[in-house]
Amino acid sequence: MSYYRKFLWAFCLFVCFQLPVQADPGYKLWLQYAPIEDARERDSYRVFFSQIQVMGHSDTDAVIRKELQLAGSGFFPGDDFSSVGESADPKIWIGKVSLLPNSVASAQADKLASLSEDGYALFALEGRVFVTSNTEIGLLYGTFGLLKAIQTRQPLTSLEVLENPKIQTRMLNHWDNLNRTVERGYAGFSIWNWHRLPKHIDQQYIDYARANASIGINATSITNVNANALVLTPVYLEKAAALADAFRPYGIKVFLTARFNAPMQLDGLETADPLDPAVREWWKKKADEIYRYIPDFGGFLVKADSEGQPGPHNYGRTQADGANALAEALEPHGGLVMWRAFVYSENTPTDRTKQAFDEFKPLDGKFNDNVIVQVKNGPLDFQPREPFHPLFGAMPETPLMMEFQITKEYLGQDTHWVNLASMWEEVLQADTYAKGAGSTVSNVLDGSLHGYRHTAIAGVANIGTDRNWTGHPMAQGDWYSFGRLAWNPDADIREIAEDWLKMTFTNDPSFVDPVVDVMMKSHEILVDYMTPLGLHHIMARSHHWGPGPWVTGGRRDDWTATYYHRASEDGIGFDRTESGSNALEQYAPEVRNQWRNPDNISLDYLLWFHRVAWDKKLSTGNTLWEEMALRYQRGVEGARWMEQTWLALDGRIDEAMFEHMRSFLAIQVSEAEWWRDACLLYFQQFSQQPLPAGVEAAAHDLEYYQGFRRFFVPGI
Ligand code: BDP
């Protein structure tokens, strides 16, 4: 290296380490590729990184080279990576299995034989590192795997990784409207700038694709489930096609939401009856047209017969009739229909949590081969804690996919820090007992339990135009964890959190360890200060921000809090046992047995399934009222502990990021207190008992909290 280059390099390093504030670190997500500070580590990685060979020359290989260039320039500031990937004597070799040197292929035969589509292997052999896969996209995933290994400081010489995705379609659902507002979005506006599309491909689309590919996400539905039929017209198809073109090299397929009465709205058909031949013909023609724009179009995501959306019910048809009409149109092109199970009638006087099961279970086996039924994690609606949805395990003949909400509609929206992976893990590892013990939801989803022909998982995106994409800096971690769990729903969530923190912030254990600890406890803390003991849907009306246990009346009962908690002087809770709505019956007998008895059900689900007297003694030795109050208090103390833990980390990460979090945690603590005070004052009217020792009294009276007026809460 010339003296001049050495000087330049040293200067760059100096500048990088001196600057506490990087240019917008939030935007780079977990792909920071920060300079490797430790000289020894840096040198050992550089030996490899300076000699890379990328074998192929496809669009995806170009993307791989670009990513390596970006990463290299980040890890080793000052080095020249303009011709990365061209080394004739590689220390890192990236190429398809079929191109591996014979000696390497035979030494790794077992590993290579177990590679599934898009899976990848990373291994070190005779001083070289190999990244290999059967597909181009697998190579891209493998490259990101290699970069993660460096970002998290794994020694390359002992790399031994074999990764196969357990779920085929790993997708984001954007609830983005064509006017760029985002339903339940708390991070600004939609990143899809429809007005500038198709001519302008913003760098943010590319960075979106990079971030998704780095965690294995391979599908995106870009429009709101409360669908606008316009997206199926040429003007918008051209725009969607431009996005699909941009995403293709990253292995991401585009899906669109289909409004069920689009044949009427767009072309004046008299009906949208799925059994009407003209309607079926319309969908066929529409599918043909879409595939002319987007040859690898993923398919339709459909919300029907739910919250005002049109659907087959309007014509006395079943959900299967509706789904199959669209599926038939997509079938010749290889497209899928993701038909949501979030169906509930305006008028049914039964328990809302029962309706999806009642409607779909009898239709098991009646859906076309290219339909997947998309089921929310719980039977109600993305509450801070719900039991798993009873459809999981109950539809052996119909592929079911999971719908998680990454955006935090009911969990503090943009300002609360809660590691959603903990909540998702609880559901993924729940045992449905569909085929005896060990029939976990994750085994339903990965197809191993019922041998599903398609497997898929979706997360409702938390992404918007905010500079850091997700509003809350820690909400990036939810996007990241979703991708990792979509790839492997049995993955270890602590490891995921550690990887994410190291890649995003620093490898310094004095930062990573306490923050992982906060993340692992954050969900339980939030449940305590919002909806302890199985309480649910007690948020403020419509925008769902903040407490609203008093919400009652209005258009529909099952949109109110009083419908769900049923508090009175006798007690509180929704009886879903035989003596009540009997929603419990929808679960397997083993599950019913765990939950049927109020004396031994986990307290986490107590008031979800049971109505309980205020003075009932619980397993903790406290009465119900005492336990509720103590849990609300525990939640507040938990939020304060999170804040204190964070404050002790001053100086360890980027200052602007630190400050951002500091102010959000102050909000979280005050909102936790708000939740505790509002809920306890409200429920105390019924329990008529004093607060137990240790529970802080509210600063105001109930009227004060009920009188809060809020304007322009985002997301609606
Ligand atoms: C609810 C949201 C609503 C969505 C609906 C859905 O409040 O905005 O449209 O779910 O999933 O959680 O369709």
Side-chain angles (χ1 to χ4, degrees):
M1 207 190 278
S2 71
Y3 175 77
Y4 175 71
R5 278 196 59 199
K6 266 191 193 151
F7 170 78
L8 204 70
W9 185 78
F11 178 75
C12 287
L13 266 190
F14 174 80
V15 170
C16 290
F17 294 137
Q18 293 310 301
L19 279 181
V21 184
Q22 297 174 37
D24 233 346
Y27 181 78
K28 292 192 193 169
L29 299 161
W30 47 90
L31 302 176
Q32 300 282 324
Y33 305 137
I36 301 173
E37 304 90 350
D38 182 90
R40 256 202 8 233
E41 277 180 340
R42 189 169 59 238
D43 289 346
S44 71
Y45 287 121
R46 185 195 274 120
V47 171
F48 285 90
F49 220 91
S50 56
Q51 283 170 259
I52 304 182
Q53 184 173 27
V54 178
M55 298 299 286
H57 288 93
S58 67
D59 289 350
T60 299
D61 293 311
V63 158
I64 291 174
R65 287 194 173 80
K66 233 182 176 161
E67 199 64 31
L68 291 168
Q69 205 172 65
L70 203 66
S73 325
F75 294 146
F76 316 107
D79 284 13
D80 178 13
F81 288 95
S82 51
S83 53
V84 71
E86 306 301 336
S87 170
D89 176 23
K91 295 288 267 178
I92 296 178
W93 183 95
I94 302 178
K96 285 205 190 159
V97 172
S98 56
L99 300 178
L100 276 170
N102 282 343
S103 58
V104 178
S106 49
Q108 300 284 325
D110 287 354
K111 190 178 285 156
L112 300 175
S114 57
L115 277 178
S116 69
E117 208 195 326
D118 292 351
Y120 65 87
L122 287 183
F123 54 88
L125 196 74
E126 291 158 8
R128 291 199 208 174
V129 168
F130 293 85
V131 180
T132 193
S133 166
N134 290 315
T135 66
E136 300 284 332
I137 299 303
L139 288 182
L140 178 61
Y141 294 157
T143 302
F144 279 116
L146 173 78
L147 295 175
K148 171 163 79 93
I150 299 178
Q151 286 175 286
T152 57
R153 305 290 184 264
Q154 310 297 311
L156 297 188
T157 43
S158 53
L159 267 187
E160 215 34 79
V161 177
L162 176 77
E163 282 285 347
N164 284 322
K166 287 197 180 171
I167 293 182
Q168 294 159 357
T169 304
R170 308 171 293 276
M171 83 190 294
L172 291 182
N173 286 180
H174 290 264
W175 286 358
D176 293 18
N177 297 312
L178 298 180
N179 65 3
R180 298 193 72 186
T181 56
V182 181
E183 181 151 346
R184 309 307 176 182
Y186 310 102
F189 286 89
S190 168
I191 61 172
W192 318 131
N193 192 325
W194 294 102
H195 188 62
R196 292 183 192 155
L197 281 166
K199 291 202 172 125
H200 175 69
I201 294 299
D202 200 273
Q203 178 61 33
Q204 191 164 9
Y205 306 151
I206 306 297
D207 292 329
Y208 166 86
R210 289 175 51 232
N212 281 325
S214 77
I215 47 177
I217 288 175
N218 63 359
T220 180
S221 166
I222 55 182
T223 45
N224 194 353
V225 287
N226 292 319
N228 187 329
L230 276 179
V231 80
L232 302 179
T233 60
V235 180
Y236 280 94
L237 289 176
E238 204 188 352
K239 296 169 191 281
L243 288 175
D245 290 343
F247 298 159
R248 192 165 297 112
Y250 296 86
I252 298 169
K253 279 192 181 178
V254 164
F255 286 66
L256 294 174
T257 48
R259 194 172 167 86
F260 196 74
N261 64 359
M264 299 164 78
Q265 287 199 336
L266 297 181
D267 284 315
L269 267 64
E270 270 170 19
T271 175
D273 181 348
L275 299 191
D276 183 297
V279 171
R280 291 181 100 98
E281 193 50 31
W282 189 91
W283 283 110
K284 277 192 192 145
K285 289 222 169 90
K286 187 47 79 182
D288 295 345
E289 183 187 7
I290 296 175
Y291 278 91
R292 282 197 292 277
Y293 285 93
I294 310 174
D296 56 354
F297 177 59
F300 294 133
L301 167 62
V302 189
K303 170 174 179 176
D305 292 321
S306 170
E307 303 181 334
Q309 293 299 302
H313 279 176
N314 302 138
Y315 310 96
R317 311 296 184 195
T318 69
Q319 299 301 305
D321 294 333
N324 291 346
L326 275 62
E328 183 183 278
L330 295 171
E331 202 268 336
H333 306 279
L336 295 170
V337 171
M338 288 162 173
W339 191 268
R340 298 177 85 224
F342 187 64
V343 168
Y344 63 101
S345 133
E346 312 268 327
N347 319 310
T348 319
T350 175
D351 176 0
R352 179 174 144 190
T353 68
K354 288 177 69 177
Q355 294 187 38
F357 184 99
D358 287 347
E359 174 109 23
F360 281 83
K361 169 77 184 152
L363 299 175
D364 189 22
K366 303 229 159 67
F367 291 89
N368 283 15
D369 279 2
N370 57 333
V371 177
I372 312 184
V373 174
Q374 179 166 320
V375 184
K376 289 188 182 186
N377 56 282
L380 183 54
D381 191 13
F382 300 135
Q383 297 302 294
R385 172 168 273 138
E386 293 191 34
F388 68 90
H389 200 297
L391 276 173
F392 292 115
M395 302 276 282
E397 305 298 326
T398 309
L400 297 187
M401 63 184 282
M402 173 66 78
E403 177 175 323
F404 283 133
Q405 200 181 43
I406 313 175
T407 190
K408 297 193 303 242
E409 175 180 356
Y410 294 99
L411 286 96
Q413 303 188 354
D414 50 343
T415 50
H416 292 220
W417 180 9
V418 49
N419 181 47
L420 296 180
S422 306
M423 178 172 80
W424 299 333
E425 181 192 50
E426 195 169 294
V427 176
L428 292 168
Q429 296 310 320
D431 201 337
T432 67
Y433 286 89
K435 290 190 173 176
S439 307
T440 59
V441 171
S442 72
N443 290 341
V444 174
L445 298 176
D446 69 18
S448 56
L449 197 70
H450 302 304
Y452 285 162
R453 54 190 168 262
H454 300 291
T455 57
I457 179 167
V460 179
N462 61 351
I463 297 164
T465 49
D466 272 17
R467 282 186 308 167
N468 68 1
W469 300 82
T470 55
H472 199 299
M474 294 296 170
Q476 295 182 354
D478 296 325
W479 176 8
Y480 180 86
S481 310
F482 170 75
R484 292 278 300 268
L485 286 171
W487 180 277
N488 175 9
D490 296 319
D492 179 339
I493 61 163
R494 175 178 283 270
E495 239 168 63
I496 295 176
E498 276 169 8
D499 284 346
W500 174 69
L501 287 169
K502 289 177 181 174
M503 293 161 82
T504 308
F505 298 101
T506 168
N507 276 275
D508 178 357
S510 70
F511 175 83
V512 174
D513 296 349
V515 176
V516 169
D517 192 29
V518 168
M519 287 171 72
M520 293 302 113
K521 294 178 178 147
S522 59
H523 175 242
E524 211 59 65
I525 290 171
L526 178 132
V527 170
D528 274 346
Y529 67 67
M530 280 189 183
T531 53
L533 294 167
L535 285 170
H536 47 283
H537 214 297
I538 54 170
M539 291 76 193
R541 196 192 284 279
S542 159
H543 53 65
H544 301 153
W545 174 57
W550 45 79
V551 169
T552 196
R555 203 146 68 81
R556 315 179 47 136
D557 253 9
D558 55 6
W559 284 356
T560 67
T562 52
Y563 170 85
Y564 291 103
H565 64 64
R566 299 175 178 224
S568 71
E569 285 174 20
D570 307 334
I572 180 169
F574 198 124
D575 182 359
R576 295 195 165 102
T577 66
E578 285 107 331
S579 49
S581 78
N582 208 9
L584 193 56
E585 186 193 37
Q586 298 179 332
Y587 291 93
E590 293 88 339
V591 181
R592 275 184 244 157
N593 285 342
Q594 285 168 22
W595 292 339
R596 126 169 330 128
N597 183 343
D599 291 324
N600 57 25
I601 186 175
S602 154
L603 294 183
D604 292 340
Y605 298 131
L606 181 65
L607 303 179
W608 185 283
F609 287 109
H610 297 278
R611 186 167 172 75
V612 181
W614 292 108
D615 56 5
K616 181 181 168 60
K617 269 257 192 276
L618 305 181
S619 53
T620 54
N622 299 315
T623 65
L624 174 71
W625 165 249
E626 288 164 347
E627 187 68 25
M628 180 184 288
L630 289 167
R631 286 193 181 209
Y632 271 111
Q633 177 67 25
R634 191 171 72 184
V636 169
E637 284 164 13
R640 289 176 187 152
W641 166 77
M642 290 169 70
E643 184 184 35
Q644 290 313 313
T645 309
W646 185 261
L647 293 179
L649 298 172
D650 196 2
R652 288 206 169 69
I653 58 157
D654 174 82
E655 199 181 315
M657 183 73 81
F658 176 82
E659 282 301 315
H660 193 154
M661 282 295 297
R662 197 175 61 83
S663 77
F664 274 10
L665 278 159
I667 295 174
Q668 184 164 2
V669 168
S670 69
E671 292 192 0
E673 290 166 351
W674 171 31
W675 267 94
R676 175 198 61 192
D677 296 342
C679 292
L680 288 180
L681 282 172
Y682 174 78
F683 291 130
Q684 197 173 27
Q685 304 175 97
F686 305 105
S687 81
Q688 299 185 343
Q689 289 172 42
L691 292 174
V695 179
E696 293 157 2
H700 306 276
D701 61 11
L702 181 59
E703 235 168 70
Y704 168 88
Y705 296 102
Q706 286 183 302
F708 264 26
R709 299 186 63 204
R710 291 158 273 216
F711 304 97
F712 311 121
V713 178
I716 42 176

Short mmCIF file of all heavy atoms in Angstrom, two decimals, residues 38-78:
data_model
loop_
_atom_site.label_atom_id
_atom_site.label_comp_id
_atom_site.label_asym_id
_atom_site.label_seq_id
_atom_site.Cartn_x
_atom_site.Cartn_y
_atom_site.Cartn_z
N ASP A 38 -11.50 -3.46 15.72
CA ASP A 38 -10.36 -4.19 16.24
C ASP A 38 -9.39 -4.54 15.10
O ASP A 38 -9.76 -5.22 14.14
CB ASP A 38 -10.87 -5.46 16.92
CG ASP A 38 -9.75 -6.26 17.53
OD1 ASP A 38 -9.44 -6.00 18.70
OD2 ASP A 38 -9.16 -7.11 16.81
N ALA A 39 -8.14 -4.08 15.23
CA ALA A 39 -7.20 -4.21 14.11
C ALA A 39 -6.97 -5.68 13.73
O ALA A 39 -6.91 -6.02 12.54
CB ALA A 39 -5.88 -3.54 14.48
N ARG A 40 -6.87 -6.54 14.74
CA ARG A 40 -6.60 -7.95 14.42
C ARG A 40 -7.76 -8.58 13.67
O ARG A 40 -7.60 -9.27 12.66
CB ARG A 40 -6.30 -8.72 15.70
CG ARG A 40 -4.81 -8.99 15.83
CD ARG A 40 -4.46 -10.15 16.73
NE ARG A 40 -5.56 -10.96 17.20
CZ ARG A 40 -5.78 -11.24 18.49
NH1 ARG A 40 -4.98 -10.76 19.41
NH2 ARG A 40 -6.79 -12.02 18.84
N GLU A 41 -8.94 -8.31 14.21
CA GLU A 41 -10.14 -8.84 13.54
C GLU A 41 -10.24 -8.30 12.11
O GLU A 41 -10.51 -9.03 11.17
CB GLU A 41 -11.40 -8.43 14.31
CG GLU A 41 -11.71 -9.32 15.47
CD GLU A 41 -12.98 -8.89 16.21
OE1 GLU A 41 -13.40 -7.71 16.08
OE2 GLU A 41 -13.53 -9.72 16.94
N ARG A 42 -9.97 -6.99 12.02
CA ARG A 42 -10.10 -6.35 10.71
C ARG A 42 -9.16 -7.02 9.70
O ARG A 42 -9.55 -7.39 8.60
CB ARG A 42 -9.77 -4.86 10.85
CG ARG A 42 -10.06 -4.05 9.61
CD ARG A 42 -9.96 -2.57 9.88
NE ARG A 42 -8.66 -2.18 10.37
CZ ARG A 42 -8.42 -1.57 11.53
NH1 ARG A 42 -9.42 -1.27 12.35
NH2 ARG A 42 -7.21 -1.23 11.89
N ASP A 43 -7.94 -7.25 10.14
CA ASP A 43 -6.97 -7.85 9.23
C ASP A 43 -7.38 -9.28 8.85
O ASP A 43 -7.25 -9.69 7.70
CB ASP A 43 -5.57 -7.87 9.87
CG ASP A 43 -5.02 -6.45 9.93
OD1 ASP A 43 -5.60 -5.57 9.25
OD2 ASP A 43 -4.05 -6.22 10.67
N SER A 44 -7.90 -10.01 9.83
CA SER A 44 -8.23 -11.40 9.50
C SER A 44 -9.41 -11.46 8.53
O SER A 44 -9.44 -12.29 7.62
CB SER A 44 -8.50 -12.21 10.77
OG SER A 44 -9.70 -11.81 11.33
N TYR A 45 -10.37 -10.58 8.68
CA TYR A 45 -11.48 -10.58 7.71
C TYR A 45 -11.03 -10.04 6.36
O TYR A 45 -11.48 -10.50 5.32
CB TYR A 45 -12.66 -9.74 8.23
CG TYR A 45 -13.42 -10.40 9.35
CD1 TYR A 45 -13.55 -9.79 10.60
CD2 TYR A 45 -14.02 -11.65 9.18
CE1 TYR A 45 -14.24 -10.40 11.64
CE2 TYR A 45 -14.72 -12.26 10.22
CZ TYR A 45 -14.82 -11.63 11.44
OH TYR A 45 -15.51 -12.24 12.44
N ARG A 46 -10.11 -9.07 6.40
CA ARG A 46 -9.71 -8.45 5.15
C ARG A 46 -9.01 -9.45 4.22
O ARG A 46 -9.20 -9.43 3.00
CB ARG A 46 -8.82 -7.25 5.39
CG ARG A 46 -8.51 -6.55 4.06
CD ARG A 46 -7.37 -5.59 4.12
NE ARG A 46 -7.81 -4.27 4.56
CZ ARG A 46 -7.34 -3.67 5.64
NH1 ARG A 46 -6.45 -4.26 6.39
NH2 ARG A 46 -7.76 -2.49 5.96
N VAL A 47 -8.25 -10.35 4.82
CA VAL A 47 -7.56 -11.37 4.01
C VAL A 47 -8.58 -12.08 3.11
O VAL A 47 -8.34 -12.30 1.92
CB VAL A 47 -6.89 -12.40 4.95
CG1 VAL A 47 -6.37 -13.58 4.16
CG2 VAL A 47 -5.81 -11.74 5.76
N PHE A 48 -9.72 -12.39 3.69
CA PHE A 48 -10.74 -13.09 2.90
C PHE A 48 -11.44 -12.14 1.94
O PHE A 48 -11.62 -12.43 0.76
CB PHE A 48 -11.78 -13.72 3.83
CG PHE A 48 -11.27 -14.96 4.51
CD1 PHE A 48 -10.62 -14.89 5.73
CD2 PHE A 48 -11.41 -16.19 3.90
CE1 PHE A 48 -10.13 -16.02 6.34
CE2 PHE A 48 -10.92 -17.34 4.51
CZ PHE A 48 -10.28 -17.25 5.74
N PHE A 49 -11.84 -11.02 2.50
CA PHE A 49 -12.71 -10.13 1.73
C PHE A 49 -12.03 -9.54 0.51
O PHE A 49 -12.68 -9.18 -0.47
CB PHE A 49 -13.22 -9.00 2.65
CG PHE A 49 -14.65 -8.67 2.41
CD1 PHE A 49 -15.66 -9.30 3.12
CD2 PHE A 49 -15.01 -7.74 1.44
CE1 PHE A 49 -16.99 -9.01 2.88
CE2 PHE A 49 -16.34 -7.44 1.20
CZ PHE A 49 -17.32 -8.08 1.91
N SER A 50 -10.70 -9.46 0.56
CA SER A 50 -10.01 -8.85 -0.57
C SER A 50 -9.89 -9.81 -1.75
O SER A 50 -9.46 -9.42 -2.82
CB SER A 50 -8.62 -8.37 -0.13
OG SER A 50 -7.92 -9.46 0.41
N GLN A 51 -10.24 -11.07 -1.55
CA GLN A 51 -10.15 -12.03 -2.66
C GLN A 51 -11.44 -12.83 -2.78
O GLN A 51 -11.58 -13.92 -2.23
CB GLN A 51 -8.98 -12.98 -2.43
CG GLN A 51 -7.64 -12.35 -2.73
CD GLN A 51 -6.51 -13.25 -2.26
OE1 GLN A 51 -5.94 -13.02 -1.19
NE2 GLN A 51 -6.23 -14.29 -3.02
N ILE A 52 -12.41 -12.25 -3.45
CA ILE A 52 -13.70 -12.92 -3.60
C ILE A 52 -13.95 -13.22 -5.06
O ILE A 52 -13.65 -12.41 -5.94
CB ILE A 52 -14.86 -12.02 -3.07
CG1 ILE A 52 -14.60 -11.60 -1.62
CG2 ILE A 52 -16.19 -12.75 -3.18
CD1 ILE A 52 -15.71 -10.75 -1.01
N GLN A 53 -14.51 -14.39 -5.29
CA GLN A 53 -14.93 -14.70 -6.66
C GLN A 53 -16.43 -14.99 -6.65
O GLN A 53 -16.90 -15.83 -5.88
CB GLN A 53 -14.18 -15.92 -7.17
CG GLN A 53 -14.50 -16.24 -8.62
CD GLN A 53 -13.61 -17.35 -9.16
OE1 GLN A 53 -13.13 -18.19 -8.41
NE2 GLN A 53 -13.40 -17.35 -10.47
N VAL A 54 -17.15 -14.26 -7.48
CA VAL A 54 -18.59 -14.54 -7.66
C VAL A 54 -18.71 -15.16 -9.04
O VAL A 54 -18.33 -14.55 -10.05
CB VAL A 54 -19.43 -13.25 -7.56
CG1 VAL A 54 -20.90 -13.56 -7.79
CG2 VAL A 54 -19.23 -12.57 -6.21
N MET A 55 -19.22 -16.38 -9.09
CA MET A 55 -19.14 -17.13 -10.35
C MET A 55 -20.11 -16.65 -11.44
O MET A 55 -19.78 -16.62 -12.60
CB MET A 55 -19.39 -18.62 -10.09
CG MET A 55 -18.38 -19.25 -9.17
SD MET A 55 -16.71 -19.17 -9.84
CE MET A 55 -16.79 -20.41 -11.12
N GLY A 56 -21.32 -16.30 -11.05
CA GLY A 56 -22.34 -16.04 -12.07
C GLY A 56 -22.38 -14.60 -12.56
O GLY A 56 -21.67 -13.72 -12.06
N HIS A 57 -23.24 -14.38 -13.57
CA HIS A 57 -23.37 -13.02 -14.12
C HIS A 57 -24.82 -12.61 -14.34
O HIS A 57 -25.13 -11.83 -15.21
CB HIS A 57 -22.55 -12.91 -15.42
CG HIS A 57 -21.08 -12.89 -15.13
ND1 HIS A 57 -20.31 -14.03 -15.13
CD2 HIS A 57 -20.27 -11.88 -14.75
CE1 HIS A 57 -19.07 -13.72 -14.78
NE2 HIS A 57 -19.02 -12.42 -14.54
N SER A 58 -25.70 -13.17 -13.54
CA SER A 58 -27.12 -12.80 -13.67
C SER A 58 -27.37 -11.48 -12.95
O SER A 58 -26.48 -10.92 -12.30
CB SER A 58 -27.97 -13.88 -13.00
OG SER A 58 -27.72 -13.85 -11.61
N ASP A 59 -28.61 -11.00 -13.04
CA ASP A 59 -28.98 -9.77 -12.31
C ASP A 59 -28.76 -9.96 -10.82
O ASP A 59 -28.37 -9.03 -10.11
CB ASP A 59 -30.45 -9.43 -12.57
CG ASP A 59 -30.66 -8.95 -13.99
OD1 ASP A 59 -29.65 -8.71 -14.69
OD2 ASP A 59 -31.84 -8.83 -14.40
N THR A 60 -29.08 -11.16 -10.34
CA THR A 60 -28.90 -11.40 -8.90
C THR A 60 -27.42 -11.42 -8.54
O THR A 60 -27.02 -10.92 -7.48
CB THR A 60 -29.61 -12.72 -8.50
OG1 THR A 60 -31.00 -12.56 -8.78
CG2 THR A 60 -29.43 -13.04 -7.03
N ASP A 61 -26.59 -11.96 -9.43
CA ASP A 61 -25.15 -11.93 -9.15
C ASP A 61 -24.64 -10.48 -9.11
O ASP A 61 -23.76 -10.15 -8.32
CB ASP A 61 -24.38 -12.73 -10.20
CG ASP A 61 -24.70 -14.22 -10.10
OD1 ASP A 61 -24.63 -14.75 -8.98
OD2 ASP A 61 -25.04 -14.82 -11.13
N ALA A 62 -25.23 -9.65 -9.96
CA ALA A 62 -24.83 -8.23 -9.94
C ALA A 62 -25.20 -7.62 -8.59
O ALA A 62 -24.43 -6.82 -8.02
CB ALA A 62 -25.51 -7.49 -11.08
N VAL A 63 -26.34 -8.01 -8.09
CA VAL A 63 -26.78 -7.51 -6.79
C VAL A 63 -25.82 -8.00 -5.70
O VAL A 63 -25.47 -7.27 -4.77
CB VAL A 63 -28.23 -8.01 -6.54
CG1 VAL A 63 -28.57 -8.02 -5.07
CG2 VAL A 63 -29.22 -7.15 -7.32
N ILE A 64 -25.38 -9.25 -5.84
CA ILE A 64 -24.44 -9.81 -4.86
C ILE A 64 -23.14 -9.00 -4.87
O ILE A 64 -22.62 -8.61 -3.83
CB ILE A 64 -24.16 -11.30 -5.17
CG1 ILE A 64 -25.42 -12.13 -4.90
CG2 ILE A 64 -22.97 -11.82 -4.37
CD1 ILE A 64 -25.32 -13.59 -5.30
N ARG A 65 -22.63 -8.74 -6.06
CA ARG A 65 -21.39 -7.97 -6.17
C ARG A 65 -21.55 -6.58 -5.54
O ARG A 65 -20.69 -6.11 -4.81
CB ARG A 65 -20.99 -7.79 -7.64
CG ARG A 65 -20.46 -9.04 -8.27
CD ARG A 65 -19.77 -8.72 -9.60
NE ARG A 65 -19.12 -9.91 -10.10
CZ ARG A 65 -19.75 -10.89 -10.75
NH1 ARG A 65 -21.04 -10.81 -10.99
NH2 ARG A 65 -19.10 -11.97 -11.16
N LYS A 66 -22.68 -5.98 -5.82
CA LYS A 66 -22.93 -4.63 -5.29
C LYS A 66 -22.96 -4.64 -3.77
O LYS A 66 -22.44 -3.75 -3.11
CB LYS A 66 -24.28 -4.16 -5.82
CG LYS A 66 -24.20 -2.81 -6.49
CD LYS A 66 -25.56 -2.40 -6.92
CE LYS A 66 -25.53 -1.02 -7.52
NZ LYS A 66 -26.69 -0.79 -8.31
N GLU A 67 -23.60 -5.67 -3.23
CA GLU A 67 -23.71 -5.75 -1.77
C GLU A 67 -22.33 -5.95 -1.15
O GLU A 67 -22.00 -5.37 -0.11
CB GLU A 67 -24.66 -6.89 -1.39
CG GLU A 67 -25.22 -6.80 0.02
CD GLU A 67 -26.11 -5.58 0.25
OE1 GLU A 67 -26.79 -5.12 -0.70
OE2 GLU A 67 -26.12 -5.08 1.39
N LEU A 68 -21.53 -6.76 -1.82
CA LEU A 68 -20.18 -7.01 -1.30
C LEU A 68 -19.34 -5.73 -1.34
O LEU A 68 -18.55 -5.44 -0.44
CB LEU A 68 -19.49 -8.11 -2.12
CG LEU A 68 -20.07 -9.52 -1.94
CD1 LEU A 68 -19.52 -10.46 -3.01
CD2 LEU A 68 -19.76 -10.07 -0.55
N GLN A 69 -19.56 -4.96 -2.39
CA GLN A 69 -18.85 -3.69 -2.54
C GLN A 69 -19.22 -2.74 -1.40
O GLN A 69 -18.37 -2.15 -0.75
CB GLN A 69 -19.28 -3.09 -3.86
CG GLN A 69 -18.32 -2.15 -4.50
CD GLN A 69 -18.84 -1.82 -5.90
OE1 GLN A 69 -19.89 -1.20 -6.02
NE2 GLN A 69 -18.11 -2.24 -6.91
N LEU A 70 -20.52 -2.67 -1.17
CA LEU A 70 -21.03 -1.79 -0.12
C LEU A 70 -20.51 -2.22 1.24
O LEU A 70 -20.04 -1.42 2.05
CB LEU A 70 -22.55 -1.90 -0.15
CG LEU A 70 -23.37 -0.79 0.40
CD1 LEU A 70 -23.16 0.44 -0.45
CD2 LEU A 70 -24.85 -1.18 0.36
N ALA A 71 -20.58 -3.53 1.48
CA ALA A 71 -20.16 -4.06 2.78
C ALA A 71 -18.66 -3.86 2.95
O ALA A 71 -18.20 -3.40 4.01
CB ALA A 71 -20.54 -5.53 2.88
N GLY A 72 -17.91 -4.18 1.90
CA GLY A 72 -16.45 -4.06 1.99
C GLY A 72 -16.04 -2.63 2.29
O GLY A 72 -15.22 -2.37 3.18
N SER A 73 -16.64 -1.68 1.58
CA SER A 73 -16.27 -0.28 1.81
C SER A 73 -16.65 0.15 3.22
O SER A 73 -16.04 1.06 3.77
CB SER A 73 -16.95 0.65 0.82
OG SER A 73 -17.06 0.04 -0.41
N GLY A 74 -17.68 -0.49 3.76
CA GLY A 74 -18.06 -0.16 5.14
C GLY A 74 -17.11 -0.80 6.15
O GLY A 74 -16.60 -0.12 7.04
N PHE A 75 -16.84 -2.07 5.99
CA PHE A 75 -15.98 -2.77 6.95
C PHE A 75 -14.54 -2.24 6.92
O PHE A 75 -13.87 -2.15 7.93
CB PHE A 75 -15.89 -4.27 6.61
CG PHE A 75 -17.16 -5.04 6.77
CD1 PHE A 75 -17.47 -6.10 5.91
CD2 PHE A 75 -18.06 -4.76 7.81
CE1 PHE A 75 -18.62 -6.83 6.05
CE2 PHE A 75 -19.23 -5.50 7.96
CZ PHE A 75 -19.51 -6.54 7.08
N PHE A 76 -14.07 -1.95 5.69
CA PHE A 76 -12.65 -1.60 5.53
C PHE A 76 -12.55 -0.25 4.79
O PHE A 76 -12.23 -0.21 3.60
CB PHE A 76 -11.93 -2.68 4.70
CG PHE A 76 -12.28 -4.08 5.12
CD1 PHE A 76 -13.11 -4.89 4.32
CD2 PHE A 76 -11.78 -4.60 6.31
CE1 PHE A 76 -13.43 -6.17 4.71
CE2 PHE A 76 -12.11 -5.90 6.70
CZ PHE A 76 -12.94 -6.69 5.90
N PRO A 77 -12.84 0.83 5.49
CA PRO A 77 -12.88 2.13 4.81
C PRO A 77 -11.53 2.40 4.13
O PRO A 77 -10.49 2.13 4.71
CB PRO A 77 -13.12 3.13 5.94
CG PRO A 77 -13.48 2.34 7.14
CD PRO A 77 -13.04 0.95 6.94
N GLY A 78 -11.60 2.88 2.91
CA GLY A 78 -10.37 3.21 2.20
C GLY A 78 -9.95 2.13 1.21
O GLY A 78 -9.26 2.42 0.25
#
